[in-house]
Amino acid sequence: MLSRSELRVEAPLSIKDGSCHIASLRDGREVWLGGKRVGDVTADRAFAGAAQSAAALYDFQAAPENAALMTFAAPESGRRVNRCWQLPTSYAELVERRRALEAWAATHYGFMGRSPDHVASCLAGMAMGIEVFRAYDAKRAAALLDYFRYARDHDLFLTYVIINPQADRSKAAHEQADEDLTLGVVDEDEAGITVRGAKMLATSGIFANEVFVACIQPLAPGDERYAVSFVTPMNTTGLKILSRKSYEAAAPSRFDNPLASRFDENDAILYFEDVKIPWERVFVDRDIALSQKQWHATPAHVFQNYQCQIRLMVKMRFLLGVARKIAEANGILAFPGVRETLGQLAAEAGLVEGLVYGMEAKGTVAHGHYVPDRHLLYSAQVLTQQLYGKVITSLRELAGGGMIMLPSGIEDFADPKLRQLINKTQKSPAVAPEERVKLFKLAWDAVGSEFASRHAQYEMFYAGATFVTRGHSFRTYDWPSATGMVDRLMASYDLDEELARLKKDTT
Ligand SMILES: Cc1cc2nc3c(=O)[nH]c(=O)nc-3n(C[C@H](O)[C@H](O)[C@H](O)COP(=O)(O)OP(=O)(O)OC[C@H]3O[C@@H](n4cnc5c(N)ncnc54)[C@H](O)[C@@H]3O)c2cc1C
């Protein structure tokens, strides 16, 4: 019998599956961890679990029972690819697309922030707003559209790095002590540009096929060579992927760390050592105005962050499940104070869900496509940045010492005497000792472990610092309608009129 990958050669229109994705990651990419170059990321104990989770996304979409929910026929090639590449033209199509993203997020319980639908959503938004690029440079616009089709038809997993590395944030990119710190163009010829420097942070980069490099931060005059957007494969010569510490490597047991062992999507600094980028893959070339407009004059920024809110909606559901199970396991569910805490959490989960549905319902047709409401999206960003930490604190409050009074690891269960002691000490009115340990270890991995702590940082920063998200909210709110109401009320009375009445009354 033919394997799936062999079948693919026979049937190029088949849906991308997990084995295809795993094979694509064995491409010689230059990943550095713990002072060593990693050979095969799909086999390394620091990355294999997350690589399998990425592959599981594609297996999920390729399963016959999920194909209609998860995929659509790409317009030109006809190949069925993930719906994240779909450019919705109506509310119904947007909702259809969201259902696919929601189902994907449920496979990782919302813990893979940069699953493939994130950057695909960004590029989809840029493709919708292609005329913004055309107004600047027809060749670069053609390159972007061509790449969008290529990435879509190959159902690529893309990551992105759109932030300049921290150094001195009070200075512009060209004013930093080392002018090659931030990625910029150092050369060009007929074939393309050469770039040098660093970008942060390639979340999921180790499990992605290609990286979209751009700059979302405002740039100053003099920063032109940093105002560049392009894509390149993760195995490009000269591209160094500097992994942060792997939480997965410290989580060899799934029972002990059910999340870190599987969903440590990793975040890496990328350093480009004189990397050549062909013109066909360059979308913005040293243009500060277009570098900003690509995000905000097209629907890109809305679509990429709408995906984040869909994922967070799923994660909130999961965290609420953990909260309730903790309450049941400790016999505290009937306490009025605990019900209040759970009621508050349920309201907060409802808020996130309601904002997703609201931004869809209040969406508008722009650039010929149906786009979620911009201001409701930014409202959701601002509020959820603050909410996440509160939710985590509520779970900690509910759990007390339960997430700490746990066996050190699965090895304790392997010793019959220790297992007896575990059975004696891990008591619950609702579940057996082993189940109690399993639940509280999961809870700790979700709210307290190093993996969980990185998640708290992620939810606070993935869309920018608070001053950035609040700025978007300020910019996009319908102030005329708000101040117009105040004006209408103030126009309905008048001091002179009242003074005249006062005079009349007193005479
Ligand atoms: C876990 C994680 C994953 C990430 N994944 C990705 C990714 O996949 N791709 C990607 O491109 N980026 C990613 N990022 C980067 C993320 O986009 C940035 O962290 C975010 O945009 C904030 O930028 P910064 O970290 O440089 O913080 P800074 O901009 O340096 O801000 C840090 C703090 O400094 C203060 N501050 C700085 N400047 C100002 C100012 N002008 N006014 C007022 N206060 C200021 C504020 O207190 C702010 O909170 C990730 C970040 C994290 C933490």
Side-chain angles (χ1 to χ4, degrees), residues 114 160 162-163 166 169 200-201 203 267 458 461 464 467:
R114 295 297 196 234
Y160 65 16
I162 59 177
I163 300 292
Q166 284 181 332
R169 281 278 184 252
M200 66 188 263
L201 266 170
T203 298
D267 315 280
Y458 182 82
F461 277 101
F467 74 91

Side-chain angles (χ1 to χ4, degrees), residues 6 22 60 63 65 72 117 128 169 195 260 435 452 477 484 507:
E6 285 164 324
I22 290 287
F60 182 79
E65 66 277 19
F72 77 117
D117 41 333
M128 290 177 213
R169 281 278 184 252
V195 294
E435 194 66 12
Y477 187 63
T507 54

